[in-house]
Amino acid sequence: MKLSTILTFTAIGASALTAMTAAQAADLEGLKSQGFARIAIANEPPWTQVTSDGKVSGAGPDVALAVLKKLGVGDIVASISEYGAMIPGLQAQRFDMVAAGLFIKPERCEAVAFSQPDLCDAESFMVKEGNPMGLKSFADIASSGAKVGVVGGGTEEKLAIEAGVSRANVIVVPDPQSGSKMLQDGRIDVYALPVLSISDLLKKAGEGSGLEMFAPFEGTPIFCAGVAFRKEDSALRDAYDVVLVEMKASGEFAAIVEPYGYSADAAIQQTRENLCGGPN
Ligand code: 6CS
């Protein structure tokens, strides 16, 4: 896959760069003449991934780049962002799209135009081996007084608060990778992320890490993500969707997502309208 690089805001300054590219990239013709789309990612494998030499991959960017290439946009340039900053950054035209595995949820559908679903997964907990506090749901976390690690502005933070976990016990980790270290160090008692994210972290922690996964837990749905666009860029979103649907039908979509562990069928069976609770 063509190398896609991390966008670094250079001497010309973020605002100038944003103004320059945003003006050109308000629609498909703008992206085509720009030659790339600026995407927000979180660096949470296997959804999004940045290697030490700046290579961007992961199921989200790989699907987005494959669709964009068919639309005549040859590359992506990625910026790492916290989940909670992705939609404000998109609206401020710092990015053209969010291709980070952003879950399609009604409150987000108010703010952005989502593509049809691309990546679906259940939620899970990373815990110390043997799950010593018996944490099997966010309600267990609330009643036990355990400290739960979450990524900032993500779905797990919201689920924890909604389940009654006190704000003081919801610990925002600085980046997706830090959570397993904080769990090992005892700074948190449990780390909440989707199943594939925790699986990836456990693989990297290796045998003898003293960590394990608990999943799935009752009462939490399978979430599905989509690419997020500005509401005013709905024509770009619609053009993106036409190609995504074709790739789902041809098997190209499955060939990209399934090696990462995602079910293509889960995304094909789901719809944005269902996840948004209405048109988006
Ligand atoms: O969209 C979200 O809120 C969630 N998505 C992923 C891929 N990881 C965690 C985050 O909370």
Side-chain angles (χ1 to χ4, degrees):
M1 188 186 96
K2 191 172 173 192
L3 283 195
S4 305
T5 54
I6 287 283
L7 175 65
T8 47
F9 285 89
T10 58
I12 59 173
S15 51
L17 186 60
T18 301
M20 179 181 75
T21 51
Q24 293 158 10
D27 58 17
L28 181 54
E29 288 318 308
L31 290 183
K32 285 163 83 168
S33 61
Q34 182 173 265
F36 58 86
R38 299 166 303 150
I39 68 169
I41 63 171
N43 194 16
E44 179 185 324
W47 308 78
T48 58
Q49 182 162 336
V50 183
T51 55
S52 50
D53 59 359
K55 257 192 239 171
V56 174
S57 63
D62 283 4
V63 170
L65 183 56
V67 174
L68 288 166
K69 281 184 170 175
K70 290 176 183 288
L71 288 170
V73 181
D75 204 358
I76 52 174
V77 174
S79 301
I80 295 177
S81 166
E82 241 194 25
Y83 286 97
M86 289 177 181
I87 290 179
L90 180 68
Q91 291 171 330
Q93 300 189 333
R94 284 188 43 232
F95 324 116
D96 301 309
M97 310 152 62
V98 176
L102 197 67
F103 291 156
I104 301 172
K105 300 191 292 182
E107 64 274 23
R108 289 173 173 169
C109 297
E110 296 297 312
V112 298
F114 274 108
S115 72
Q116 286 298 344
D118 53 16
L119 305 173
C120 302
D121 198 4
E123 286 291 345
S124 67
F125 291 155
M126 183 190 269
V127 291
K128 288 275 177 73
E129 216 150 28
N131 197 352
M133 296 182 75
L135 302 172
K136 298 183 177 175
S137 66
F138 283 105
D140 287 346
I141 296 175
S143 58
S144 65
K147 286 187 171 23
V148 56
V150 294
V151 290
T155 295
E156 298 76 22
E157 183 175 17
K158 196 162 184 296
L159 290 171
I161 298 293
E162 284 169 355
V165 180
S166 74
R167 183 76 253 185
N169 287 341
V170 179
I171 312 297
V172 174
V173 301
D175 56 71
Q177 289 70 21
S178 305
S180 33
K181 181 88 179 56
M182 289 169 72
L183 180 62
Q184 266 172 328
D185 297 348
R187 287 156 58 198
I188 54 177
D189 305 302
V190 54
Y191 184 26
L193 273 180
V195 168
L196 287 170
S197 311
I198 296 290
S199 301
D200 184 84
L201 289 168
L202 286 171
K203 215 181 309 166
K204 287 170 181 163
E207 291 298 311
S209 67
L211 304 173
E212 68 183 32
M213 181 195 301
F214 177 82
F217 31 80
E218 307 89 58
T220 307
I222 299 281
F223 288 100
C224 288
V227 167
F229 299 84
R230 282 185 291 277
K231 284 270 189 197
E232 57 270 31
D233 292 340
S234 58
L236 174 61
R237 187 278 305 272
D238 294 345
Y240 184 94
D241 262 355
V242 167
V243 173
L244 178 61
V245 168
E246 286 166 359
M247 288 176 64
K248 286 178 173 179
S250 71
E252 289 175 86
F253 170 73
I256 295 172
V257 303
E258 291 189 346
Y260 282 107
Y262 295 93
S263 157
D265 271 351
I268 291 165
Q269 305 301 327
Q270 194 46 280
T271 69
R272 160 183 65 236
E273 291 73 17
N274 184 39
L275 294 165
C276 286
N280 168 254

